[in-house]
Amino acid sequence: MFRGLSRKLIILVCLFSIILGSAIGLIGYSTYMDTTMTRYEEFAVAVLRLAYAYIDVDDMVEVLETGERSQQYNNTQVAFNTIKETQGITFLYFFAIRDNMMVYFINAYTQREVEMLGEDEKIVTLNSVDPLPYELNEMINNPDDRIWIIPTDTDYGHMMGAFYAIRDDNGNIIGILASEINMYDIDSTIQVYVVTVLLGAIIIISICVFFMILYIRKKVTLPIQRLSESANNFVNQETDEELKAIISTIKSKDELETLSESIEKMTMDMIEYIKNITIITAEKERIGAELSVATQIQASMLPKNFPQQKELELYASMRPAKEVGGDFYDFFFIDEDTLAVVMADVSGKGIPAALFMVVAKTLIKTNAMSGMSPKEVFDISNDLLCENNDAEMFVTAFLGYLQISTGRFKFVNAGHNFPLIKKKDKFEWLETEVDFVLAGMEGMPFTEGEITLNQGDELFLYTDGVTEAHNIDNDLFGDPYLLEVANECTYAKPNEFGDFIIEKIDAFAGEAPQADDITMMLLKYNG
């Protein structure tokens, strides 16, 4: 049911429409309408005849059969585009009829339409289809060789079009040439006429508007002004009671009163929401500060003082994907002649991975410093990490012992990426025995391998954040490309080598966000 304001406005609009329609609307409208329609029909027919002059029927049949655009087809397309651009027609096109569908052969488009839709999204292209308007059925079934003026209702609006059926020697329809004008354009022309006539009735309209303004001011303007004051007070952060006092004065018993009640509820809800969001924001800031501290703590756990001795050079770095990550590296001297290196990757990311990383790092280093071999370190650490591992997290890890005096290098690989080893100025894969991950299953055996590093040999350890870095097309950096990139920088110092790898990863990823921690270590043995 309509409430007070709607009923009042409807009565006013009806009275105004009756007076205005009686005094002005019927004067000359019918005559002008017929004249305008005739003129536009003649215009549509003229455009159709002009377009028909550019059609080569034989070429048209060949293109429809093969689906391949010919030079003549392209010339016809350009001619149609020019006609549409210069004549201001709404649509100009030619189509064949297949299975009660319009199969487009040529559709004209203007430069403005190209700019709006893009060069690759022209309005209708060869072999595009649309349903056949039912209004064309009479023309299709009629053998008369004439131009038909047919109004149609399409997805593009109400159209008035000129249509001409192009037939072969047997009288069969090859296709239909059409030029259409949107009835909106015709209506706009009629509106211009009506507006012109209306200027002669300004005095009558002005008197009506005067009294209407007085009425609307009392019934509409003043209530809306009170709503505006309420909104302004809300912006100025007045109290809840002051807002309610202003809104409650609106008692118009119509939609404005309903609106004021809705605004009052919305205002109270908004105030409550602001209070809640303030609390949430403060909590997020607190969590952010704690994460920042956690990041600093994690970074401090990774060694930064690289060995300074002539027998070896070492460099390592870790760039987390989030504030804190699950990757870690470590290096430490077990005795004066033995250097241990660790590269590991904890499953998952964020705080849980970081906590698990701390436990794994501590266990590996503690067991290694107690004099255990790499195999024994992983045997013990694996069993301890499996205890109470309700989160079912795991660690891929590589542990190696370098005997500095001889170059003897013993190592164990627990599900980690194959390292790269450089011998004779060329990197290649160190294909180790890959055992099961740490914390995956209690009692798993680990296999110890051994190689000898000669003077100038280098060992490159890394996590899967390097090889699984991806670009915006989801292409992976990958093992082959890592090997290729590494061999582009065989004579660099360890720190320069690490920076070079990072630069290549960033260049490859482009604007794609970093999905995983990127951790790497380069050990060079000088003998």
mmCIF file of all heavy atoms in Angstrom, residues 142-183:
data_model
loop_
_atom_site.group_PDB
_atom_site.id
_atom_site.type_symbol
_atom_site.label_atom_id
_atom_site.label_comp_id
_atom_site.label_asym_id
_atom_site.label_seq_id
_atom_site.Cartn_x
_atom_site.Cartn_y
_atom_site.Cartn_z
ATOM 1 N N ASN A 142 8.746 -14.520 -47.842
ATOM 2 C CA ASN A 142 8.127 -13.782 -48.941
ATOM 3 C C ASN A 142 9.145 -13.620 -50.060
ATOM 4 O O ASN A 142 10.243 -13.111 -49.837
ATOM 5 C CB ASN A 142 7.653 -12.417 -48.447
ATOM 6 C CG ASN A 142 6.709 -11.757 -49.444
ATOM 7 O OD1 ASN A 142 7.009 -11.661 -50.635
ATOM 8 N ND2 ASN A 142 5.571 -11.298 -48.929
ATOM 9 N N PRO A 143 8.837 -14.013 -51.312
ATOM 10 C CA PRO A 143 9.813 -13.950 -52.400
ATOM 11 C C PRO A 143 9.965 -12.560 -53.017
ATOM 12 O O PRO A 143 10.762 -12.378 -53.934
ATOM 13 C CB PRO A 143 9.244 -14.948 -53.417
ATOM 14 C CG PRO A 143 7.763 -14.904 -53.187
ATOM 15 C CD PRO A 143 7.577 -14.686 -51.718
ATOM 16 N N ASP A 144 9.197 -11.585 -52.532
ATOM 17 C CA ASP A 144 9.266 -10.249 -53.131
ATOM 18 C C ASP A 144 10.663 -9.663 -53.014
ATOM 19 O O ASP A 144 11.277 -9.704 -51.937
ATOM 20 C CB ASP A 144 8.269 -9.312 -52.453
ATOM 21 C CG ASP A 144 6.831 -9.706 -52.764
ATOM 22 O OD1 ASP A 144 6.647 -10.552 -53.665
ATOM 23 O OD2 ASP A 144 5.914 -9.181 -52.098
ATOM 24 N N ASP A 145 11.141 -9.090 -54.122
ATOM 25 C CA ASP A 145 12.471 -8.469 -54.149
ATOM 26 C C ASP A 145 12.322 -6.997 -53.817
ATOM 27 O O ASP A 145 12.272 -6.130 -54.696
ATOM 28 C CB ASP A 145 13.112 -8.655 -55.529
ATOM 29 C CG ASP A 145 14.542 -8.131 -55.555
ATOM 30 O OD1 ASP A 145 15.167 -8.060 -54.464
ATOM 31 O OD2 ASP A 145 15.036 -7.790 -56.637
ATOM 32 N N ARG A 146 12.227 -6.710 -52.517
ATOM 33 C CA ARG A 146 12.063 -5.323 -52.091
ATOM 34 C C ARG A 146 12.709 -5.126 -50.712
ATOM 35 O O ARG A 146 13.062 -6.096 -50.032
ATOM 36 C CB ARG A 146 10.590 -4.959 -52.020
ATOM 37 C CG ARG A 146 9.766 -5.719 -50.971
ATOM 38 C CD ARG A 146 8.312 -5.323 -51.056
ATOM 39 N NE ARG A 146 7.479 -6.044 -50.104
ATOM 40 C CZ ARG A 146 7.226 -5.631 -48.849
ATOM 41 N NH1 ARG A 146 7.799 -4.513 -48.406
ATOM 42 N NH2 ARG A 146 6.434 -6.337 -48.058
ATOM 43 N N ILE A 147 12.844 -3.872 -50.383
ATOM 44 C CA ILE A 147 13.405 -3.526 -49.060
ATOM 45 C C ILE A 147 12.259 -3.487 -48.058
ATOM 46 O O ILE A 147 11.227 -2.836 -48.294
ATOM 47 C CB ILE A 147 14.130 -2.178 -49.114
ATOM 48 C CG1 ILE A 147 15.363 -2.283 -50.034
ATOM 49 C CG2 ILE A 147 14.540 -1.727 -47.717
ATOM 50 C CD1 ILE A 147 16.103 -0.978 -50.215
ATOM 51 N N TRP A 148 12.459 -4.177 -46.955
ATOM 52 C CA TRP A 148 11.444 -4.262 -45.905
ATOM 53 C C TRP A 148 11.800 -3.311 -44.756
ATOM 54 O O TRP A 148 12.943 -3.249 -44.333
ATOM 55 C CB TRP A 148 11.353 -5.687 -45.370
ATOM 56 C CG TRP A 148 10.816 -6.675 -46.368
ATOM 57 C CD1 TRP A 148 11.432 -7.111 -47.497
ATOM 58 C CD2 TRP A 148 9.552 -7.328 -46.314
ATOM 59 N NE1 TRP A 148 10.666 -8.008 -48.167
ATOM 60 C CE2 TRP A 148 9.480 -8.176 -47.456
ATOM 61 C CE3 TRP A 148 8.473 -7.310 -45.442
ATOM 62 C CZ2 TRP A 148 8.390 -8.976 -47.728
ATOM 63 C CZ3 TRP A 148 7.379 -8.113 -45.700
ATOM 64 C CH2 TRP A 148 7.333 -8.929 -46.840
ATOM 65 N N ILE A 149 10.795 -2.612 -44.273
ATOM 66 C CA ILE A 149 10.953 -1.777 -43.077
ATOM 67 C C ILE A 149 10.295 -2.530 -41.929
ATOM 68 O O ILE A 149 9.077 -2.718 -41.909
ATOM 69 C CB ILE A 149 10.316 -0.392 -43.257
ATOM 70 C CG1 ILE A 149 10.926 0.316 -44.461
ATOM 71 C CG2 ILE A 149 10.488 0.437 -41.984
ATOM 72 C CD1 ILE A 149 12.415 0.583 -44.331
ATOM 73 N N ILE A 150 11.132 -2.973 -40.985
ATOM 74 C CA ILE A 150 10.633 -3.838 -39.910
ATOM 75 C C ILE A 150 11.167 -3.348 -38.567
ATOM 76 O O ILE A 150 12.377 -3.215 -38.383
ATOM 77 C CB ILE A 150 11.079 -5.300 -40.129
ATOM 78 C CG1 ILE A 150 10.599 -5.815 -41.492
ATOM 79 C CG2 ILE A 150 10.554 -6.190 -39.002
ATOM 80 C CD1 ILE A 150 11.114 -7.201 -41.825
ATOM 81 N N PRO A 151 10.282 -3.080 -37.607
ATOM 82 C CA PRO A 151 10.741 -2.796 -36.238
ATOM 83 C C PRO A 151 11.061 -4.106 -35.517
ATOM 84 O O PRO A 151 10.351 -5.101 -35.687
ATOM 85 C CB PRO A 151 9.546 -2.075 -35.597
ATOM 86 C CG PRO A 151 8.355 -2.601 -36.339
ATOM 87 C CD PRO A 151 8.820 -2.894 -37.752
ATOM 88 N N THR A 152 12.115 -4.121 -34.749
ATOM 89 C CA THR A 152 12.516 -5.327 -34.010
ATOM 90 C C THR A 152 12.859 -4.973 -32.582
ATOM 91 O O THR A 152 13.301 -3.857 -32.290
ATOM 92 C CB THR A 152 13.731 -6.006 -34.666
ATOM 93 O OG1 THR A 152 14.820 -5.076 -34.691
ATOM 94 C CG2 THR A 152 13.419 -6.465 -36.074
ATOM 95 N N ASP A 153 12.639 -5.955 -31.700
ATOM 96 C CA ASP A 153 13.058 -5.823 -30.301
ATOM 97 C C ASP A 153 14.201 -6.791 -30.065
ATOM 98 O O ASP A 153 14.033 -8.000 -30.191
ATOM 99 C CB ASP A 153 11.897 -6.133 -29.348
ATOM 100 C CG ASP A 153 10.850 -5.040 -29.354
ATOM 101 O OD1 ASP A 153 11.216 -3.858 -29.229
ATOM 102 O OD2 ASP A 153 9.668 -5.375 -29.500
ATOM 103 N N THR A 154 15.382 -6.254 -29.733
ATOM 104 C CA THR A 154 16.570 -7.072 -29.506
ATOM 105 C C THR A 154 17.171 -6.740 -28.153
ATOM 106 O O THR A 154 16.683 -5.861 -27.431
ATOM 107 C CB THR A 154 17.619 -6.828 -30.605
ATOM 108 O OG1 THR A 154 18.144 -5.498 -30.451
ATOM 109 C CG2 THR A 154 17.006 -6.965 -31.988
ATOM 110 N N ASP A 155 18.248 -7.457 -27.841
ATOM 111 C CA ASP A 155 18.970 -7.170 -26.597
ATOM 112 C C ASP A 155 19.562 -5.769 -26.610
ATOM 113 O O ASP A 155 19.934 -5.240 -25.567
ATOM 114 C CB ASP A 155 20.086 -8.198 -26.382
ATOM 115 C CG ASP A 155 19.535 -9.581 -26.120
ATOM 116 O OD1 ASP A 155 18.368 -9.686 -25.712
ATOM 117 O OD2 ASP A 155 20.276 -10.556 -26.324
ATOM 118 N N TYR A 156 19.695 -5.199 -27.815
ATOM 119 C CA TYR A 156 20.304 -3.873 -27.922
ATOM 120 C C TYR A 156 19.270 -2.757 -27.897
ATOM 121 O O TYR A 156 19.610 -1.588 -28.048
ATOM 122 C CB TYR A 156 21.130 -3.786 -29.208
ATOM 123 C CG TYR A 156 22.116 -4.903 -29.359
ATOM 124 C CD1 TYR A 156 21.880 -5.961 -30.239
ATOM 125 C CD2 TYR A 156 23.273 -4.929 -28.585
ATOM 126 C CE1 TYR A 156 22.772 -7.001 -30.367
ATOM 127 C CE2 TYR A 156 24.180 -5.984 -28.713
ATOM 128 C CZ TYR A 156 23.916 -7.016 -29.606
ATOM 129 O OH TYR A 156 24.820 -8.041 -29.724
ATOM 130 N N GLY A 157 17.978 -3.110 -27.770
ATOM 131 C CA GLY A 157 16.949 -2.098 -27.694
ATOM 132 C C GLY A 157 15.916 -2.257 -28.786
ATOM 133 O O GLY A 157 15.921 -3.210 -29.570
ATOM 134 N N HIS A 158 14.980 -1.308 -28.842
ATOM 135 C CA HIS A 158 13.932 -1.304 -29.851
ATOM 136 C C HIS A 158 14.468 -0.623 -31.101
ATOM 137 O O HIS A 158 14.877 0.540 -31.066
ATOM 138 C CB HIS A 158 12.708 -0.562 -29.315
ATOM 139 C CG HIS A 158 11.529 -0.598 -30.247
ATOM 140 N ND1 HIS A 158 11.024 -1.767 -30.767
ATOM 141 C CD2 HIS A 158 10.766 0.396 -30.746
ATOM 142 C CE1 HIS A 158 10.000 -1.489 -31.559
ATOM 143 N NE2 HIS A 158 9.824 -0.181 -31.562
ATOM 144 N N MET A 159 14.501 -1.362 -32.204
ATOM 145 C CA MET A 159 15.122 -0.882 -33.432
ATOM 146 C C MET A 159 14.091 -0.733 -34.554
ATOM 147 O O MET A 159 13.086 -1.449 -34.600
ATOM 148 C CB MET A 159 16.207 -1.864 -33.903
ATOM 149 C CG MET A 159 17.319 -2.091 -32.904
ATOM 150 S SD MET A 159 18.366 -0.650 -32.752
ATOM 151 C CE MET A 159 19.446 -1.195 -31.415
ATOM 152 N N MET A 160 14.350 0.228 -35.457
ATOM 153 C CA MET A 160 13.629 0.319 -36.717
ATOM 154 C C MET A 160 14.651 0.089 -37.814
ATOM 155 O O MET A 160 15.640 0.822 -37.920
ATOM 156 C CB MET A 160 12.967 1.684 -36.885
ATOM 157 C CG MET A 160 12.149 1.790 -38.170
ATOM 158 S SD MET A 160 11.615 3.481 -38.474
ATOM 159 C CE MET A 160 13.188 4.242 -38.858
ATOM 160 N N GLY A 161 14.436 -0.944 -38.645
ATOM 161 C CA GLY A 161 15.469 -1.306 -39.596
ATOM 162 C C GLY A 161 14.954 -1.496 -40.994
ATOM 163 O O GLY A 161 13.779 -1.776 -41.223
ATOM 164 N N ALA A 162 15.896 -1.309 -41.934
ATOM 165 C CA ALA A 162 15.642 -1.625 -43.330
ATOM 166 C C ALA A 162 16.375 -2.917 -43.645
ATOM 167 O O ALA A 162 17.579 -3.040 -43.364
ATOM 168 C CB ALA A 162 16.122 -0.493 -44.229
ATOM 169 N N PHE A 163 15.676 -3.912 -44.219
ATOM 170 C CA PHE A 163 16.244 -5.218 -44.470
ATOM 171 C C PHE A 163 16.062 -5.584 -45.944
ATOM 172 O O PHE A 163 15.004 -5.315 -46.539
ATOM 173 C CB PHE A 163 15.566 -6.295 -43.603
ATOM 174 C CG PHE A 163 15.751 -6.089 -42.146
ATOM 175 C CD1 PHE A 163 14.931 -5.214 -41.431
ATOM 176 C CD2 PHE A 163 16.755 -6.763 -41.448
ATOM 177 C CE1 PHE A 163 15.113 -5.025 -40.077
ATOM 178 C CE2 PHE A 163 16.929 -6.579 -40.101
ATOM 179 C CZ PHE A 163 16.108 -5.692 -39.425
ATOM 180 N N TYR A 164 17.085 -6.211 -46.525
ATOM 181 C CA TYR A 164 17.008 -6.622 -47.914
ATOM 182 C C TYR A 164 17.601 -8.021 -48.033
ATOM 183 O O TYR A 164 18.730 -8.272 -47.620
ATOM 184 C CB TYR A 164 17.763 -5.650 -48.826
ATOM 185 C CG TYR A 164 17.738 -6.056 -50.290
ATOM 186 C CD1 TYR A 164 16.554 -6.020 -51.025
ATOM 187 C CD2 TYR A 164 18.887 -6.496 -50.921
ATOM 188 C CE1 TYR A 164 16.522 -6.391 -52.360
ATOM 189 C CE2 TYR A 164 18.871 -6.872 -52.270
ATOM 190 C CZ TYR A 164 17.684 -6.831 -52.985
ATOM 191 O OH TYR A 164 17.678 -7.201 -54.297
ATOM 192 N N ALA A 165 16.816 -8.945 -48.593
ATOM 193 C CA ALA A 165 17.259 -10.333 -48.739
ATOM 194 C C ALA A 165 18.029 -10.479 -50.053
ATOM 195 O O ALA A 165 17.508 -10.191 -51.133
ATOM 196 C CB ALA A 165 16.065 -11.278 -48.711
ATOM 197 N N ILE A 166 19.284 -10.929 -49.973
ATOM 198 C CA ILE A 166 20.116 -11.168 -51.152
ATOM 199 C C ILE A 166 19.989 -12.644 -51.521
ATOM 200 O O ILE A 166 20.250 -13.524 -50.700
ATOM 201 C CB ILE A 166 21.580 -10.793 -50.872
ATOM 202 C CG1 ILE A 166 21.683 -9.310 -50.509
ATOM 203 C CG2 ILE A 166 22.465 -11.117 -52.061
ATOM 204 C CD1 ILE A 166 23.066 -8.867 -50.131
ATOM 205 N N ARG A 167 19.581 -12.896 -52.756
ATOM 206 C CA ARG A 167 19.262 -14.257 -53.173
ATOM 207 C C ARG A 167 20.189 -14.706 -54.308
ATOM 208 O O ARG A 167 20.761 -13.890 -55.037
ATOM 209 C CB ARG A 167 17.808 -14.354 -53.626
ATOM 210 C CG ARG A 167 16.803 -13.899 -52.568
ATOM 211 C CD ARG A 167 15.392 -13.857 -53.107
ATOM 212 N NE ARG A 167 14.463 -13.334 -52.125
ATOM 213 C CZ ARG A 167 13.802 -14.069 -51.231
ATOM 214 N NH1 ARG A 167 13.977 -15.392 -51.225
ATOM 215 N NH2 ARG A 167 12.981 -13.510 -50.370
ATOM 216 N N ASP A 168 20.297 -16.044 -54.468
ATOM 217 C CA ASP A 168 21.052 -16.563 -55.602
ATOM 218 C C ASP A 168 20.141 -16.699 -56.826
ATOM 219 O O ASP A 168 18.977 -16.272 -56.793
ATOM 220 C CB ASP A 168 21.692 -17.917 -55.234
ATOM 221 C CG ASP A 168 20.658 -18.950 -54.824
ATOM 222 O OD1 ASP A 168 19.458 -18.763 -55.154
ATOM 223 O OD2 ASP A 168 21.043 -19.936 -54.166
ATOM 224 N N ASP A 169 20.657 -17.279 -57.893
ATOM 225 C CA ASP A 169 19.885 -17.377 -59.131
ATOM 226 C C ASP A 169 18.632 -18.227 -58.977
ATOM 227 O O ASP A 169 17.674 -18.101 -59.747
ATOM 228 C CB ASP A 169 20.764 -17.958 -60.243
ATOM 229 C CG ASP A 169 21.930 -17.028 -60.580
ATOM 230 O OD1 ASP A 169 21.790 -15.810 -60.315
ATOM 231 O OD2 ASP A 169 22.949 -17.517 -61.090
ATOM 232 N N ASN A 170 18.617 -19.107 -57.981
ATOM 233 C CA ASN A 170 17.454 -19.966 -57.769
ATOM 234 C C ASN A 170 16.436 -19.353 -56.816
ATOM 235 O O ASN A 170 15.459 -19.990 -56.444
ATOM 236 C CB ASN A 170 17.897 -21.331 -57.222
ATOM 237 C CG ASN A 170 18.794 -22.069 -58.208
ATOM 238 O OD1 ASN A 170 18.553 -22.023 -59.420
ATOM 239 N ND2 ASN A 170 19.821 -22.737 -57.691
ATOM 240 N N GLY A 171 16.704 -18.154 -56.397
ATOM 241 C CA GLY A 171 15.772 -17.491 -55.488
ATOM 242 C C GLY A 171 15.974 -17.832 -54.032
ATOM 243 O O GLY A 171 15.202 -17.402 -53.164
ATOM 244 N N ASN A 172 17.026 -18.598 -53.698
ATOM 245 C CA ASN A 172 17.312 -18.944 -52.302
ATOM 246 C C ASN A 172 18.055 -17.794 -51.624
ATOM 247 O O ASN A 172 18.937 -17.176 -52.215
ATOM 248 C CB ASN A 172 18.148 -20.223 -52.221
ATOM 249 C CG ASN A 172 17.423 -21.405 -52.829
ATOM 250 O OD1 ASN A 172 16.228 -21.589 -52.604
ATOM 251 N ND2 ASN A 172 18.150 -22.199 -53.614
ATOM 252 N N ILE A 173 17.701 -17.540 -50.379
ATOM 253 C CA ILE A 173 18.324 -16.441 -49.637
ATOM 254 C C ILE A 173 19.753 -16.813 -49.259
ATOM 255 O O ILE A 173 19.995 -17.830 -48.598
ATOM 256 C CB ILE A 173 17.519 -16.093 -48.380
ATOM 257 C CG1 ILE A 173 16.159 -15.538 -48.766
ATOM 258 C CG2 ILE A 173 18.277 -15.079 -47.535
ATOM 259 C CD1 ILE A 173 15.276 -15.188 -47.589
ATOM 260 N N ILE A 174 20.719 -15.998 -49.720
ATOM 261 C CA ILE A 174 22.118 -16.162 -49.302
ATOM 262 C C ILE A 174 22.328 -15.509 -47.947
ATOM 263 O O ILE A 174 22.977 -16.052 -47.063
ATOM 264 C CB ILE A 174 23.062 -15.548 -50.348
ATOM 265 C CG1 ILE A 174 22.895 -16.274 -51.682
ATOM 266 C CG2 ILE A 174 24.502 -15.600 -49.868
ATOM 267 C CD1 ILE A 174 23.675 -15.635 -52.803
ATOM 268 N N GLY A 175 21.765 -14.342 -47.806
ATOM 269 C CA GLY A 175 21.901 -13.613 -46.556
ATOM 270 C C GLY A 175 21.037 -12.372 -46.595
ATOM 271 O O GLY A 175 20.372 -12.071 -47.586
ATOM 272 N N ILE A 176 21.045 -11.647 -45.503
ATOM 273 C CA ILE A 176 20.218 -10.446 -45.363
ATOM 274 C C ILE A 176 21.100 -9.271 -44.985
ATOM 275 O O ILE A 176 21.903 -9.354 -44.043
ATOM 276 C CB ILE A 176 19.118 -10.654 -44.318
ATOM 277 C CG1 ILE A 176 18.152 -11.743 -44.809
ATOM 278 C CG2 ILE A 176 18.369 -9.360 -44.044
ATOM 279 C CD1 ILE A 176 17.070 -12.088 -43.821
ATOM 280 N N LEU A 177 20.962 -8.184 -45.728
ATOM 281 C CA LEU A 177 21.660 -6.931 -45.450
ATOM 282 C C LEU A 177 20.729 -6.052 -44.631
ATOM 283 O O LEU A 177 19.546 -5.908 -44.972
ATOM 284 C CB LEU A 177 22.046 -6.242 -46.764
ATOM 285 C CG LEU A 177 22.774 -4.902 -46.642
ATOM 286 C CD1 LEU A 177 24.118 -5.082 -45.943
ATOM 287 C CD2 LEU A 177 22.986 -4.285 -48.018
ATOM 288 N N ALA A 178 21.229 -5.469 -43.561
ATOM 289 C CA ALA A 178 20.369 -4.713 -42.649
ATOM 290 C C ALA A 178 21.045 -3.433 -42.198
ATOM 291 O O ALA A 178 22.254 -3.409 -41.947
ATOM 292 C CB ALA A 178 19.995 -5.566 -41.439
ATOM 293 N N SER A 179 20.252 -2.378 -42.121
ATOM 294 C CA SER A 179 20.674 -1.135 -41.459
ATOM 295 C C SER A 179 19.596 -0.785 -40.452
ATOM 296 O O SER A 179 18.409 -0.795 -40.777
ATOM 297 C CB SER A 179 20.872 0.000 -42.471
ATOM 298 O OG SER A 179 19.645 0.334 -43.092
ATOM 299 N N GLU A 180 19.992 -0.497 -39.214
ATOM 300 C CA GLU A 180 19.026 -0.273 -38.148
ATOM 301 C C GLU A 180 19.322 1.018 -37.411
ATOM 302 O O GLU A 180 20.488 1.411 -37.242
ATOM 303 C CB GLU A 180 19.046 -1.431 -37.156
ATOM 304 C CG GLU A 180 18.505 -2.727 -37.724
ATOM 305 C CD GLU A 180 18.418 -3.802 -36.659
ATOM 306 O OE1 GLU A 180 19.480 -4.264 -36.213
ATOM 307 O OE2 GLU A 180 17.297 -4.151 -36.273
ATOM 308 N N ILE A 181 18.240 1.676 -37.017
ATOM 309 C CA ILE A 181 18.339 2.896 -36.203
ATOM 310 C C ILE A 181 17.666 2.616 -34.879
ATOM 311 O O ILE A 181 16.543 2.100 -34.829
ATOM 312 C CB ILE A 181 17.650 4.086 -36.903
ATOM 313 C CG1 ILE A 181 18.316 4.370 -38.246
ATOM 314 C CG2 ILE A 181 17.697 5.329 -36.024
ATOM 315 C CD1 ILE A 181 17.609 5.429 -39.055
ATOM 316 N N ASN A 182 18.359 2.942 -33.797
ATOM 317 C CA ASN A 182 17.779 2.771 -32.474
ATOM 318 C C ASN A 182 16.633 3.755 -32.288
ATOM 319 O O ASN A 182 16.775 4.942 -32.536
ATOM 320 C CB ASN A 182 18.847 3.020 -31.398
ATOM 321 C CG ASN A 182 18.417 2.477 -30.060
ATOM 322 O OD1 ASN A 182 17.267 2.601 -29.664
ATOM 323 N ND2 ASN A 182 19.359 1.866 -29.353
ATOM 324 N N MET A 183 15.478 3.237 -31.908
ATOM 325 C CA MET A 183 14.316 4.094 -31.716
ATOM 326 C C MET A 183 14.555 5.140 -30.651
ATOM 327 O O MET A 183 13.842 6.138 -30.571
ATOM 328 C CB MET A 183 13.105 3.228 -31.352
ATOM 329 C CG MET A 183 12.653 2.292 -32.458
ATOM 330 S SD MET A 183 12.069 3.144 -33.929
ATOM 331 C CE MET A 183 10.483 3.756 -33.345
#
